[in-house]
Amino acid sequence: SLPLSSPHSLNYASITGRNCDNCIGYIPLPLGHAGPLPLTILTANGKSDKIFNVPLATTEGGLIASISRGLKAMRGGKTTAAVTQDVMTRSPVIEFESLELAVKFKGYVEEYPEDVRREFERGSRYLKLKEVECKVVGRTCYLRLGGETGEAMGMNMISKGSESLLKHLQKTWPLKILSVSGNYCCDKKPSALNFLKGRGKSVTLECTLPTSTVLNVLKTTPEKMCKLNYYKNSIGSSLACTLGGNNAQAANCVAAIYLATGQDPAHVVEGSQCVTVMEVVEGGLYVSVALPSLCVGTVG
């Protein structure tokens, strides 16, 4: 069930100075839902079956109806999903006096010394360091620090961890901190790096639709669906030189879910990077999607 508030029940005291500065009111958004969707979720500990209704906040007429029809088709098959990676990133940029020092620092920090892990994880008891990458440009270094952030989306948490690490490194390295974020994260901007390496939750899903479902619900055939996916989402997106835009309308769905669940809507930029694959198989149509950079949280 979804908790619904009356139009005049906003608690301004709970958000002033925290969620919104100079708050003067709020704008209501229409909230709908699509579903249900039976889903098998794969984890390291096995798998579980759950049923979801999807909350969607939008002013685009027809969007929820379109999503609902897609979910109706998916109910005709079996849908399986998995989070394949969970790493939020932050990328400080620091400067040295020479290229030689910058290269030495890269060799040190990418060896994953214990003090780097310890100081980074001081940012939060939930923060766990997972990867360190250092890109050298002249005498500057761009660190890409990746960490698990629990149930939180993790941007504030990983920024605190980065600041803690930088203060520690200043004690033993003659470095100058230019910014806690040097845009190599890459946060809220179209990025081939995020598309390739992922940021936040990397999610993939598959579903095989029976031919009868494709015919009766989607009013087409598996062969036509597969052909259109190739010419539109693959060839057309390639001609437009999109970054992770091999999909029909992922941004619509991601934005509506983000707005309905209190996520940061600016993360739709990387969150809508999505690859859609379709194959004609015996008895129907195999469909999969992969979204490498979903920046979402359930707490915080």
Side-chain angles (χ1 to χ4, degrees), residues 46 153 185 204 226:
M153 188 268 282
C185 315
T204 188
C226 190

Side-chain angles (χ1 to χ4, degrees), residues 120-121 123-129 147-149 157-158 161:
F120 177 77
E121 293 180 357
S124 169
R125 67 181 184 273
Y126 301 107
L127 184 59
K128 303 298 179 184
L129 183 66
E148 288 186 356
T149 58
M157 187 188 302
I158 203 165

Side-chain angles (χ1 to χ4, degrees), residues 256-280:
I257 294 172
Y258 277 20
L259 290 171
T261 57
Q263 311 299 325
D264 186 340
H267 281 299
V268 173
V269 174
E270 63 261 59
S272 61
Q273 290 185 318
C274 172
V275 175
T276 303
V277 176
M278 294 186 186
E279 301 175 35
V280 177

Side-chain angles (χ1 to χ4, degrees), residues 90 115-129 145 147-150 152 154-168 180:
R90 178 52 87 204
D115 65 313
V116 169
R117 179 186 300 276
R118 181 186 67 246
E119 296 302 324
F120 177 77
E121 293 180 357
R122 287 186 189 275
S124 169
R125 67 181 184 273
Y126 301 107
L127 184 59
K128 303 298 179 184
L129 183 66
L145 305 169
E148 288 186 356
T149 58
M155 283 302 307
N156 291 335
M157 187 188 302
I158 203 165
S159 294
K160 291 178 180 178
S162 299
E163 288 181 331
S164 173
L165 174 59
L166 291 173
K167 289 178 181 178
H168 169 72
V180 175

